[in-house]
Amino acid sequence: MSAWLVALLAGMAVAALVPSAGPVLRRPGRSRPGWSVPVPVLARRRRVAADQAAVLEVCDLLAADLAAGRPPDAALAAGADRWPPLVPVVEAMRLGADVPEAMRRLAAERRGAADLRWVAGAWQVAQHSGHGLAAALERTAAGLRARRRTRRLVDSELASARSTARLVACLPVAVLLMGSGAGSDPWTFLLATPVGWVCGAVGLTLVAVGLWWIERLADQAAAP
């Protein structure tokens, strides 16, 4: 029992000290090494960040191609080459279906593609008003860049909150070490008595729940 508790304490300390990789906006297909607890959270954040960057890139590409006189279907196909999830929108265009609605469906299916709703809105307004789609997409891309700057600011603030939570999670271990250095023997109580086992298990559970709660709140605050 004591060995199990020691292992859990060590694991929690290491997990609390490992830096969390918050959402980092980057071009699709490019990544850099990072660590997070747990690993699926990191994978989800990277996927969301990659999709956010891809939507902005596709919007820029569509605006440039349309401004150069390229047909909308060809511009969408070029966008799908850069970002494969856009393929259903290209198919909707070829079948004569509602392209803005196809974009909104894609935005609902992929969390990182939520900004595609703005592209869909620009596309729909241009269709109904007859104004230039290229100009509408250029303005949409400018708005998406402003949202991206805001996300970066929020991400930096959330990184500080996550770091503080991990530091606080390590304090119980630091207190135990300080107690040992002061001449007391908290480890014997914690590892060699049934009451100590219960206290250790409850403490580890509270630390784990606290870290999970902080991560969940941070993810909600960073939601697109």
Side-chain angles (χ1 to χ4, degrees):
M1 182 67 176
S2 61
W4 172 81
L5 195 54
V6 169
L8 279 181
L9 283 170
M12 290 298 299
V14 171
L17 288 174
V18 171
S20 172
V24 179
L25 297 177
R26 59 174 66 92
R27 293 173 66 89
R30 295 185 181 181
S31 61
R32 56 189 179 190
W35 300 266
S36 182
V37 181
V39 172
V41 175
L42 172 60
R44 186 185 71 241
R45 290 174 185 163
R46 284 181 171 175
R47 183 172 62 250
V48 168
D51 284 344
Q52 290 170 346
V55 170
L56 176 56
E57 183 178 4
V58 165
C59 187
D60 279 331
L61 179 64
L62 289 174
D65 285 351
L66 292 172
R70 199 171 190 181
D73 55 346
L76 272 177
D81 291 338
R82 293 286 186 91
W83 190 47
L86 199 64
V87 169
V89 180
V90 177
E91 293 299 325
M93 182 78 178
R94 290 175 179 172
L95 294 175
D98 191 340
V99 172
E101 182 60 29
M103 290 182 179
R104 293 189 182 97
R105 284 198 299 269
L106 179 58
E109 293 170 0
R110 299 178 69 94
R111 182 185 178 191
D115 286 344
L116 200 61
R117 292 175 299 180
W118 299 95
V119 181
W123 195 289
Q124 187 169 9
V125 168
Q127 281 184 336
H128 290 171
S129 65
H131 292 295
L133 179 57
L137 291 177
E138 286 178 359
R139 291 191 294 270
T140 301
L144 293 182
R145 286 191 186 87
R147 288 170 60 84
R148 183 172 180 175
R149 289 192 294 269
T150 301
R151 285 195 190 105
R152 284 175 172 168
L153 178 60
V154 171
D155 292 343
S156 65
E157 296 297 331
L158 292 178
S160 299
R162 288 186 171 109
S163 299
T164 302
R166 282 166 173 74
L167 179 61
V168 171
C170 291
L171 289 181
V173 177
V175 170
L176 289 172
L177 294 175
M178 291 173 61
S180 299
S184 60
D185 192 11
W187 294 101
T188 299
F189 166 77
L190 190 64
L191 303 178
T193 64
V195 176
W197 298 340
V198 172
C199 292
V202 171
L204 289 173
T205 301
L206 291 176
V207 168
V209 171
L211 289 174
W212 171 82
W213 190 15
I214 290 294
E215 290 294 328
R216 185 168 179 83
L217 290 176
D219 283 342
Q220 290 177 352

